[in-house]
């Protein structure tokens, strides 16, 4: 799915990009010194697209200043091209199966090589022939690699094999998504009344599965969990009611069976099982739960506030916690408890500066203990809720700190895997030190609740892995948790890519030119009927299609902002090397901090406890001031 | 001209030069896909065919990840080099001591076997087997606990030391034995 951040680019965000101070004029002597270097590098990087020469160029930072002074634009082109080639080469090394490779390529739309699949296939042969050609062809969505169901959907959407060959990867992805949307919508709106029907739905999805976006897959999996649960529960209820059921219960069963949407069906089934005084765990898990097992707005608010107070108390005295508390002394701690998709424990979103914890996780914990939602706000159950979510909140707080750091250091947002490594590392360091300092409280909870809570189990595994071999741990975070996330180097490459914004400016310009050529009466009529703005998210094609429906003044405003944004982004290119260095320095500081925490965990005491690494003994590197990325999910 | 430019632009420092080397191509019939040179030449290791390779940027190590069953973590094999003066361990003996020391967060049900004699890169080494637990997160599904077995082999060098770790769900351990043995056998330490 290729969505344009339109709101940020065009309509909402004030343009804050500062223009870089003008470069002093390069002397003729400087230009003459740089000219042969430029010629050679241009051939190797821009013409030959040699990733090895590119890597050498990126690593030789001592030459950058000379080249940048001699010709900033030419230097930018080289740096961008080299970063992309090194990144693409690494992608070919790291991703050996089609799905993983496609996911990696989808994060790199805009790379010129991806827009010419035939050239990328030739490049593979020359520089990355250990990557199988068939795997790359399938990842690039070459027509002949697509299954019949997908080709049929594309053909129905007007796509032809001939034109497909000349279509870039980004446009292929968009076309595929649009062609598969009707099938996805049908699946999302489906219900299953028997386990066989539920299986048939999964089988249908399987035929197009590999071509679906990660978010679409997640939504479908959630839906299928519900259809599985509902269909199994219908059969269970039927069997338990027997041949001569209570008429009222039989009516409830019939009502559930008739439901046209799966959430409604689960709700009715929940009520039916309550009426039967029987527990059905699948319905409890997938359905909305009984009224007293749900939190209302006031309950969520109260629990969130209690968690903020409790988390701050628990953070105190640990190296990681104290660093976060220094941030929270100046920054808001907007913690909310809210429903989240299955498997997600917490999330920090930079656009609204909110740190969320999974309500479902907490409610399930209460249900498993036979408690109500209200019990989460009291005594022992609140203590369990606090301790089981503590390390998740630390992890997400690190992402907030990363956002603050970007703001304070005036560096742009780069979605780097190193930020996830940092959050996991500091989470593990926190668990270790907190357990060592508080063996009878947090340590005991973490040690004794692993069999009843998979989240506690995961925290314990994470902490031990880091303590036992920090280098193996760091590598495994990327390999096991975030294989598709990209490095600081890949982000450096992206920072140069203005393709999407330039394309949008050109589309706006074309629409304004089209209007200018219309008769006056037609222009007035168009303007009177036009919308004053755009709402929602768009693919490139749906955004272009929406432009003729806007008022001319809106188009002009968008055009002006787009040009300013482009200019600011172009100016910001000069800052890429500094941004790169800042991100690398932060990463190094985190590693030093974690090493300090580990070193402070002294050997076990004679009584079996741990000294726990006091702050004064820990020689950690001072914290960077600051906090995460939009939509960080744990 | 080309030679002059290379001198001007690409001459030492040499640390990065190793990572810019073209990968050594495997023979077509080789059981492993290709040889990775890691950590400034401190070791070489080869990934089993079809396994994904992750190298850390600093060149301290690599992990190879095999195909995963839908409901369990993928098998992995990794090799790391702890250089002399690293902030974590004095030497291989120190590393091994931490493996068997009590943890502030003990893993319930975990069993660590004795340290045994082993060979790595043709040299005497120590190994240790552990039956532990991991949490598997399939996309959009509830995370679940999985029993995992891991085996560490530790080799002391002249200055630093190497750690080779193989890991797989306990239920799939036997199936991965050949790939793990090949990874260990293909590991070449370089002092």
């Amino acid at each position: 799915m290729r969505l344009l951040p339109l709101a940020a680019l065009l309509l909402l965000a004030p343009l804050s990009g500062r223009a870089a101070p003008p470069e002093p004029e390069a002397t003729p002597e400087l230009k003459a010194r740089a000219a042969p270097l430029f010629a050679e590098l241009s051939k190797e990087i821009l013409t030959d697209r040699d990733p090895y020469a590119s890597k050498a160029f990126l690593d030789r930072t001592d030459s950058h200043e000379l080249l940048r002074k001699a010709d900033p634009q030419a230097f930018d082109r080289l740096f961008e091209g080299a970063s992309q080639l090194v990144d693409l080469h690494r992608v070919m090394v790291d991703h050996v199966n089609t799905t993983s490779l496609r996911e990696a390529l989808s994060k790199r739309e805009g790379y010129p090589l991806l827009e010419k699949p035939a050239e990328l296939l030739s490049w593979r042969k020359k520089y990355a022939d250990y990557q199988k050609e068939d795997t790359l062809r399938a990842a690039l969505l070459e027509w002949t690699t697509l299954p019949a169901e997908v080709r049929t959907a594309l053909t129905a959407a007007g796509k032809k094999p001939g034109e497909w060959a000349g279509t870039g990867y980004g446009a292929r992805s968009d076309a595929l998504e649009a062609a598969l949307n009707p099938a996805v919508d049908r699946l999302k709106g489906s219900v299953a009344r028997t386990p066989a029907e539920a299986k048939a739905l999964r089988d249908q999805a399987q035929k197009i599965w590999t071509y679906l976006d990660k978010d679409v897959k997640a939504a479908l999996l959630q839906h299928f969990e519900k259809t599985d649960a509902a269909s199994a529960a219908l059969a269970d209820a039927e069997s338990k009611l027997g041949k001569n059921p209570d008429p009222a219960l039989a009516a409830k069963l019939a009502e559930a069976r008739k439901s046209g949407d799966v959430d409604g069906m689960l709700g009715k089934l929940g009520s039916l099982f309550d009426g039967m005084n029987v527990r059905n765990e699948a319905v409890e898990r997938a359905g909305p739960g009984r009224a007293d097992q749900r939190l209302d707005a006031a309950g969520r608010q109260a629990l969130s506030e209690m968690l903020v107070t409790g988390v701050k108390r628990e953070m105190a005295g640990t190296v990681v916690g104290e660093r976060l508390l220094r941030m929270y002394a100046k920054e808001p701690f907007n913690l909310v408890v809210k429903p989240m998709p299955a498997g997600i424990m917490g999330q920090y979103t930079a656009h609204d500066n909110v740190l969320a914890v999974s309500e479902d996780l907490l409610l399930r914990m209460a249900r498993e203990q036979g408690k109500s939602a209200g019990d989460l706000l009291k005594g022992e159950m609140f203590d369990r809720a606090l301790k089981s979510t503590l390390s998740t909140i630390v992890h997400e707080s690190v992402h907030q700190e990363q956002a603050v750091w970007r703001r304070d250091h005036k560096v742009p947002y780069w979605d780097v895997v190193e930020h996830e490594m940092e959050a996991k590392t500091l989470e593990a360091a926190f668990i270790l030190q907190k357990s060592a300092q508080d063996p009878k409280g947090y340590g005991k909870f973490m040690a004794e609740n692993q069999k009843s809570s998979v989240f506690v189990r995961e925290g314990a595994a994470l902490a031990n892995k880091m303590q036992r071999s920090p280098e193996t741990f760091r590598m495994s975070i990327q390999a096991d948790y975030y294989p598709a996330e990209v490095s600081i180097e890949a982000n450096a490459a992206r920072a140069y890519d203005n393709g999407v914004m330039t394309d949008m400016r050109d589309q706006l310009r074309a629409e304004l030119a089209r209007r200018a050529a219309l008769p006056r009466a037609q222009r007035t009529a168009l303007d009177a009927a036009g919308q004053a703005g755009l709402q929602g998210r768009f693919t490139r094609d749906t955004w272009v299609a929406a432009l003729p429906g806007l008022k001319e003044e809106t188009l002009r405003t968008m055009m002006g902002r787009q040009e300013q944004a482009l200019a600011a982004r172009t100016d910001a290119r000069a800052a890429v090397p500094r941004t790169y260095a800042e991100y690398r320095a932060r990463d190094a500081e985190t590693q030093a901090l974690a090493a300090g925490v580990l070193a402070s965990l002294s050997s076990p005491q004679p009584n079996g406890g741990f000294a726990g690494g006091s702050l004064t003994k820990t020689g950690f590197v001072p914290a960077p001031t600051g906090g995460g990325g939009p939509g960080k999910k744990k | 001209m080309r030679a002059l430019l290379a001198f001007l632009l690409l001459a030492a420092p040499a640390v990065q030069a190793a990572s810019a080397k073209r990968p050594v191509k495997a023979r077509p019939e080789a059981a492993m896909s290709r040889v990775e040179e890691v950590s400034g030449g401190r070791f070489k290791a080869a990934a089993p065919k079809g396994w994904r390779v992750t190298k850390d940027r600093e060149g301290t190590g690599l992990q190879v990840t095999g195909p995963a069953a839908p409901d369990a973590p993928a098998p992995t094999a990794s090799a790391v080099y702890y250089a002399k003066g690293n902030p974590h361990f004095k030497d291989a003996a120190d590393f091994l001591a931490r493996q068997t020391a009590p943890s502030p967060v003990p893993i319930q049900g975990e069993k660590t076997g004795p340290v045994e004699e082993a060979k790595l890169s043709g040299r005497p080494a120590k190994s240790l087997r552990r039956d532990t637990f991991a949490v598997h997160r399939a996309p959009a599904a509830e995370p679940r606990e999985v029993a995992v077995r891991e085996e560490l082999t530790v080799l002391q060098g002249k200055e630093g030391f190497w750690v080779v770790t193989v890991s797989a769900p306990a239920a799939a351990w036997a199936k991965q034995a050949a790939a793990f043995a090949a990874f260990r056998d293909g590991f070449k330490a370089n002092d």
Side-chain angles (χ1 to χ4, degrees):
Chain A
M1 182 157 29
R2 197 167 53 146
L3 293 170
L4 304 175
L6 294 176
L9 289 176
L10 296 169
L11 299 171
L12 301 177
L15 295 168
S16 56
R18 270 185 319 154
E23 288 284 338
E25 190 69 24
T27 62
E29 186 200 1
L30 190 66
K31 286 186 174 179
R33 268 180 67 202
L37 295 179
F38 273 127
E40 181 69 12
L41 289 167
S42 296
K43 180 182 177 303
E44 289 181 335
I45 296 169
L46 303 180
T47 308
D48 297 345
R49 290 166 168 160
D50 183 339
Y52 302 101
S54 298
K55 178 77 170 74
F57 166 67
L58 290 182
D59 286 344
R60 285 308 313 259
T61 50
D62 53 346
S63 66
H64 292 178
E65 195 57 21
L66 163 73
L67 294 171
R68 207 168 67 76
K69 277 186 179 161
D71 188 340
Q73 284 80 26
F75 173 76
D76 284 352
R77 279 195 298 277
L78 285 175
F79 201 100
E80 176 186 20
S83 305
Q84 288 181 354
L85 289 167
V86 171
D87 181 47
L88 208 50
H89 194 257
R90 183 170 165 175
V91 165
M92 297 296 158
V93 173
D94 287 354
H95 299 275
V96 292
N97 71 59
T98 306
T99 308
S100 153
L101 182 58
R102 185 179 303 127
E103 199 173 314
L105 294 181
S106 70
K107 288 174 177 274
R108 290 159 175 86
E109 286 179 14
Y111 282 19
L113 263 175
L114 283 182
E115 293 314 301
K116 294 177 178 169
E119 289 184 21
L120 181 55
L121 287 164
S122 303
W123 182 85
R124 178 212 69 86
K125 203 170 175 184
K126 191 169 178 186
Y127 295 115
D129 64 350
Y130 41 80
Q131 174 63 265
K132 286 183 186 165
E133 183 176 0
D134 287 350
T135 306
L136 181 58
R137 281 170 50 77
L140 283 170
L141 308 170
E142 292 280 283
W143 187 270
T144 53
T145 66
L146 301 172
E149 288 80 6
V150 175
R151 287 205 299 259
T152 305
L154 282 170
T155 307
K159 304 295 173 192
K160 294 173 185 162
E163 77 183 40
W164 193 255
T167 306
Y169 177 72
R172 285 181 182 183
S173 300
D174 284 352
L176 200 59
E177 183 188 342
L180 294 178
N181 265 344
V184 170
D185 289 344
R186 272 197 304 278
L187 287 167
K188 278 186 190 167
S190 58
V191 293
R193 293 180 177 84
T194 64
E197 284 180 19
K199 182 177 178 303
L201 289 176
R202 284 184 180 266
D203 290 345
Q204 281 176 41
Q206 197 57 43
K207 291 177 182 167
I208 55 171
W209 194 251
T210 187
Y211 299 97
L212 299 178
D213 176 80
K214 195 168 66 176
D215 292 343
V216 174
K217 283 182 187 171
L220 281 176
L221 280 173
Q222 271 188 281
H223 181 74
F224 293 150
E225 278 192 8
K226 290 178 181 177
T227 50
D228 287 350
S231 59
L234 278 172
D236 185 30
E238 215 159 55
S239 136
K240 285 195 165 74
L241 284 175
K243 287 186 179 170
N244 297 306
D246 176 313
L249 294 175
K252 280 192 173 185
L253 176 61
E255 207 181 325
R257 186 178 289 286
K258 271 195 297 188
S259 289
D261 74 283
V262 73
D263 287 324
M265 189 182 278
L266 282 165
K268 290 182 173 91
L269 280 164
S271 156
L272 169 63
F273 281 104
D274 285 347
M276 291 162 69
N277 210 17
V278 170
R279 281 191 72 184
N280 182 298
E281 285 185 15
V283 169
E284 281 179 16
R285 195 170 54 243
R290 292 196 319 262
D292 73 336
Q293 291 173 332
R294 283 174 248 158
L295 279 170
D296 58 16
R300 282 189 194 114
Q301 173 77 20
L303 185 54
S304 303
E305 287 170 6
M306 287 172 70
L307 281 173
V308 167
T309 307
V311 165
K312 283 184 173 174
R313 187 179 65 238
E314 296 289 331
M315 280 179 173
T318 63
V319 171
V320 175
E322 289 291 341
R323 173 170 143 176
L324 294 170
L325 287 173
R326 281 198 292 279
M327 171 185 69
Y328 284 130
K330 298 174 191 163
E331 303 291 332
F333 192 175
N334 298 323
L335 177 69
V336 300
V337 174
K338 69 171 193 180
M340 299 179 87
I344 294 179
M345 298 156 71
Q347 182 176 26
Y348 170 72
T349 43
H351 69 274
D352 54 3
N353 200 24
V354 166
L355 193 160
V357 175
S358 168
E359 177 179 323
D360 186 54
L361 156 68
L362 295 168
L363 291 177
R364 185 171 320 129
M365 194 173 71
R367 281 203 297 270
E368 283 167 3
Q369 301 283 319
K371 306 284 185 184
S372 70
D375 290 331
L376 284 169
L377 300 163
K378 300 175 207 159
E380 193 191 337
M381 272 312 292
F382 172 71
D383 193 51
R384 285 185 74 85
L386 173 62
K387 287 192 167 78
S388 61
T389 53
L390 189 53
S391 68
T392 297
I393 294 170
V394 165
H395 179 112
E396 301 306 333
S397 295
V398 172
H399 286 315
Q400 180 175 351
E401 195 199 36
Q402 289 161 351
V404 174
W405 169 80
R406 287 196 302 274
R407 183 197 67 200
D408 291 351
H409 285 240
K410 296 185 171 53
V411 292
Y413 170 66
W414 283 3
D415 190 9
V416 297
V417 71
E418 285 82 358
H419 273 0
E420 290 298 348
M421 290 177 176
E422 176 180 79
K424 283 273 185 211
T425 300
L426 297 187
E427 179 186 357
F430 175 81
I431 294 170
L432 282 167
Q433 194 177 28
K434 182 77 188 165
S435 300
Q437 287 178 345
D438 183 16
K440 291 182 180 166
Y442 186 71
K444 188 166 185 282
F445 177 84
M446 291 297 290
E448 293 180 353
N449 287 281
Q450 293 166 30
K451 289 187 175 165
S452 60
S453 166
V454 75
F455 300 102
V456 175
R457 178 66 101 186
E458 187 170 42
L462 195 71
N464 278 283
K465 199 163 187 174
M466 183 172 90
Q467 192 190 24
R468 287 167 174 167
S469 183
E471 295 295 349
T472 314
F473 168 79
R474 182 174 159 82
M475 210 162 42
S476 73
I477 297 171
Q478 172 159 21
D480 299 345
Y481 288 91
Y482 306 104
E485 297 289 319
V486 294
S487 63
I488 293 174
E489 284 75 14
N491 277 270
R494 261 185 212 164
Y496 283 94
D497 181 14
N498 278 352
V500 171
M501 294 175 74
T502 308
D503 177 44
M504 290 165 75
R505 182 203 55 196
D506 293 346
Q507 295 295 338
L508 285 163
R509 189 177 280 162
E511 175 58 17
L512 284 166
R514 185 185 73 84
R515 298 219 183 169
L518 293 174
R520 190 179 186 84
Q522 197 176 341
R523 279 177 75 178
T524 308
L526 262 178
D527 222 34
Q531 302 282 320
L534 288 174
Q535 296 291 331
R537 301 178 78 193
F538 298 83
T539 64
R540 187 240 181 222
D541 290 347
T542 57
W543 181 77
V544 171
L547 295 183
L550 291 173
K551 288 183 184 299
E552 193 167 320
E553 188 188 342
T554 305
L555 289 168
R556 289 194 185 285
T557 304
M558 289 165 74
M559 177 77 179
R561 291 189 174 179
Q562 189 70 3
E563 283 183 331
Q564 285 180 52
L566 255 171
R569 194 174 159 87
T570 305
D571 288 342
R573 286 175 171 180
V576 170
R578 182 185 78 82
T579 305
Y580 178 86
E582 291 267 13
Y583 271 84
R584 276 280 157 234
R586 183 178 172 99
D587 186 48
E589 284 170 359
T590 296
Q591 291 183 62
L593 185 146
V597 171
L598 287 176
S600 75
L601 294 169
S602 52
S603 302
Q605 303 299 292
N607 63 5
F610 286 81
S614 73
L615 284 170
T616 48
K617 285 180 189 169
T618 306
F620 69 95
V621 174
T625 49
K632 291 292 177 189
K633 294 174 186 176
K634 185 182 175 189
Chain B
M1 172 59 83
R2 191 183 172 96
L4 174 64
L5 288 169
F7 174 76
L8 284 173
L9 200 59
L10 305 175
V15 180
Q16 284 90 357
S19 53
K21 272 185 191 168
R22 287 164 205 270
V24 178
K25 282 182 72 173
R27 295 189 307 277
E29 71 279 14
M32 313 299 269
S33 58
R34 69 201 171 92
V35 176
E36 295 283 345
E37 190 166 340
V38 181
S39 195
R42 284 298 187 185
F43 69 84
K44 288 182 183 176
K49 270 187 176 168
W51 287 37
R52 173 163 54 82
V53 179
T54 306
K55 282 199 273 190
D56 74 342
R57 182 183 176 274
E58 289 76 14
T60 321
L62 96 168
Q63 175 175 316
V64 295
T65 307
D71 56 350
T76 63
S78 67
V80 295
Y81 177 67
Y82 283 97
K84 187 180 179 184
N86 77 80
H88 304 297
F89 304 103
K90 201 168 66 184
D91 52 22
D94 188 24
F95 178 89
L96 277 167
R98 195 180 291 179
Q99 305 312 305
T100 49
S103 162
V105 198
I107 295 184
Q108 270 183 307
E110 181 178 84
K111 287 179 188 152
T112 302
V115 175
E116 295 181 341
E117 300 301 322
K119 282 217 158 188
L120 188 64
S121 195
R123 292 154 64 174
K126 305 277 185 193
S127 78
L128 175 142
R129 180 177 279 194
R130 183 184 284 134
D131 286 312
T132 185
F133 297 90
V135 170
H136 178 60
R137 289 164 168 271
E142 294 303 338
R144 65 181 200 88
E145 173 186 307
V146 178
V148 164
R149 172 168 288 178
E150 59 189 29
E151 209 166 79
L152 292 79
T153 311
V154 186
L155 173 65
Q156 178 65 54
K158 286 177 191 160
E159 293 184 331
F161 66 95
W162 296 267
V163 180
V164 169
T165 309
V166 296
S167 169
W173 182 260
K175 196 176 152 196
Q176 302 300 337
F180 288 159
F183 184 78
R184 266 192 300 252
D185 291 348
F187 174 86
K188 299 283 178 258
N190 181 15
D191 274 330

PDB file of all heavy atoms in Angstrom, chain A residues 609-621:
ATOM      1  N   GLY A 609      20.610 -12.790  46.425  1.00  0.00           N
ATOM      2  CA  GLY A 609      20.085 -11.592  45.772  1.00  0.00           C
ATOM      3  C   GLY A 609      21.150 -10.926  44.907  1.00  0.00           C
ATOM      4  O   GLY A 609      22.262 -11.438  44.759  1.00  0.00           O
ATOM      5  N   PHE A 610      20.804  -9.783  44.331  1.00  0.00           N
ATOM      6  CA  PHE A 610      21.735  -9.037  43.487  1.00  0.00           C
ATOM      7  C   PHE A 610      21.900  -7.648  44.054  1.00  0.00           C
ATOM      8  O   PHE A 610      20.975  -7.092  44.641  1.00  0.00           O
ATOM      9  CB  PHE A 610      21.202  -8.936  42.055  1.00  0.00           C
ATOM     10  CG  PHE A 610      21.311 -10.222  41.310  1.00  0.00           C
ATOM     11  CD1 PHE A 610      20.374 -11.227  41.487  1.00  0.00           C
ATOM     12  CD2 PHE A 610      22.371 -10.461  40.457  1.00  0.00           C
ATOM     13  CE1 PHE A 610      20.474 -12.426  40.822  1.00  0.00           C
ATOM     14  CE2 PHE A 610      22.484 -11.658  39.787  1.00  0.00           C
ATOM     15  CZ  PHE A 610      21.529 -12.641  39.969  1.00  0.00           C
ATOM     16  N   ALA A 611      23.106  -7.092  43.848  1.00  0.00           N
ATOM     17  CA  ALA A 611      23.330  -5.734  44.344  1.00  0.00           C
ATOM     18  C   ALA A 611      22.446  -4.742  43.608  1.00  0.00           C
ATOM     19  O   ALA A 611      22.017  -3.754  44.154  1.00  0.00           O
ATOM     20  CB  ALA A 611      24.788  -5.367  44.178  1.00  0.00           C
ATOM     21  N   GLY A 612      22.206  -4.982  42.355  1.00  0.00           N
ATOM     22  CA  GLY A 612      21.200  -4.196  41.653  1.00  0.00           C
ATOM     23  C   GLY A 612      21.700  -2.956  40.965  1.00  0.00           C
ATOM     24  O   GLY A 612      20.931  -2.216  40.374  1.00  0.00           O
ATOM     25  N   GLY A 613      22.960  -2.698  40.988  1.00  0.00           N
ATOM     26  CA  GLY A 613      23.495  -1.617  40.168  1.00  0.00           C
ATOM     27  C   GLY A 613      22.940  -0.258  40.513  1.00  0.00           C
ATOM     28  O   GLY A 613      22.012   0.224  39.895  1.00  0.00           O
ATOM     29  N   SER A 614      23.514   0.370  41.533  1.00  0.00           N
ATOM     30  CA  SER A 614      22.996   1.681  41.891  1.00  0.00           C
ATOM     31  C   SER A 614      23.421   2.706  40.846  1.00  0.00           C
ATOM     32  O   SER A 614      24.376   2.488  40.104  1.00  0.00           O
ATOM     33  CB  SER A 614      23.535   2.086  43.252  1.00  0.00           C
ATOM     34  OG  SER A 614      24.900   2.412  43.121  1.00  0.00           O
ATOM     35  N   LEU A 615      22.730   3.804  40.816  1.00  0.00           N
ATOM     36  CA  LEU A 615      23.018   4.820  39.814  1.00  0.00           C
ATOM     37  C   LEU A 615      24.421   5.374  39.960  1.00  0.00           C
ATOM     38  O   LEU A 615      25.080   5.663  38.988  1.00  0.00           O
ATOM     39  CB  LEU A 615      22.010   5.957  39.941  1.00  0.00           C
ATOM     40  CG  LEU A 615      20.637   5.632  39.390  1.00  0.00           C
ATOM     41  CD1 LEU A 615      19.666   6.720  39.775  1.00  0.00           C
ATOM     42  CD2 LEU A 615      20.712   5.479  37.892  1.00  0.00           C
ATOM     43  N   THR A 616      24.874   5.501  41.206  1.00  0.00           N
ATOM     44  CA  THR A 616      26.177   6.117  41.405  1.00  0.00           C
ATOM     45  C   THR A 616      27.304   5.219  40.898  1.00  0.00           C
ATOM     46  O   THR A 616      28.338   5.692  40.505  1.00  0.00           O
ATOM     47  CB  THR A 616      26.416   6.418  42.893  1.00  0.00           C
ATOM     48  OG1 THR A 616      26.084   5.237  43.618  1.00  0.00           O
ATOM     49  CG2 THR A 616      25.590   7.565  43.361  1.00  0.00           C
ATOM     50  N   LYS A 617      27.065   3.914  40.906  1.00  0.00           N
ATOM     51  CA  LYS A 617      28.120   3.009  40.486  1.00  0.00           C
ATOM     52  C   LYS A 617      28.168   2.849  38.979  1.00  0.00           C
ATOM     53  O   LYS A 617      29.097   2.296  38.434  1.00  0.00           O
ATOM     54  CB  LYS A 617      27.893   1.630  41.106  1.00  0.00           C
ATOM     55  CG  LYS A 617      28.231   1.555  42.577  1.00  0.00           C
ATOM     56  CD  LYS A 617      27.961   0.143  43.058  1.00  0.00           C
ATOM     57  CE  LYS A 617      28.067   0.052  44.557  1.00  0.00           C
ATOM     58  NZ  LYS A 617      27.561  -1.226  45.049  1.00  0.00           N
ATOM     59  N   THR A 618      27.108   3.283  38.313  1.00  0.00           N
ATOM     60  CA  THR A 618      27.006   2.987  36.893  1.00  0.00           C
ATOM     61  C   THR A 618      27.633   4.082  36.063  1.00  0.00           C
ATOM     62  O   THR A 618      27.183   5.214  36.097  1.00  0.00           O
ATOM     63  CB  THR A 618      25.522   2.853  36.495  1.00  0.00           C
ATOM     64  OG1 THR A 618      24.956   1.897  37.356  1.00  0.00           O
ATOM     65  CG2 THR A 618      25.387   2.411  35.068  1.00  0.00           C
ATOM     66  N   GLY A 619      28.634   3.730  35.337  1.00  0.00           N
ATOM     67  CA  GLY A 619      29.304   4.748  34.534  1.00  0.00           C
ATOM     68  C   GLY A 619      28.664   4.880  33.177  1.00  0.00           C
ATOM     69  O   GLY A 619      29.284   4.617  32.164  1.00  0.00           O
ATOM     70  N   PHE A 620      27.407   5.247  33.153  1.00  0.00           N
ATOM     71  CA  PHE A 620      26.745   5.297  31.856  1.00  0.00           C
ATOM     72  C   PHE A 620      26.943   6.643  31.181  1.00  0.00           C
ATOM     73  O   PHE A 620      27.198   7.653  31.821  1.00  0.00           O
ATOM     74  CB  PHE A 620      25.261   4.961  31.982  1.00  0.00           C
ATOM     75  CG  PHE A 620      24.444   5.993  32.694  1.00  0.00           C
ATOM     76  CD1 PHE A 620      23.773   6.954  31.981  1.00  0.00           C
ATOM     77  CD2 PHE A 620      24.352   5.988  34.082  1.00  0.00           C
ATOM     78  CE1 PHE A 620      23.005   7.896  32.628  1.00  0.00           C
ATOM     79  CE2 PHE A 620      23.593   6.937  34.727  1.00  0.00           C
ATOM     80  CZ  PHE A 620      22.916   7.890  34.005  1.00  0.00           C
ATOM     81  N   VAL A 621      26.799   6.635  29.884  1.00  0.00           N
ATOM     82  CA  VAL A 621      26.945   7.851  29.088  1.00  0.00           C
ATOM     83  C   VAL A 621      25.712   8.714  29.299  1.00  0.00           C
ATOM     84  O   VAL A 621      24.610   8.202  29.363  1.00  0.00           O
ATOM     85  CB  VAL A 621      27.059   7.471  27.605  1.00  0.00           C
ATOM     86  CG1 VAL A 621      27.056   8.690  26.717  1.00  0.00           C
ATOM     87  CG2 VAL A 621      28.313   6.651  27.385  1.00  0.00           C
TER      88      VAL A 621
END
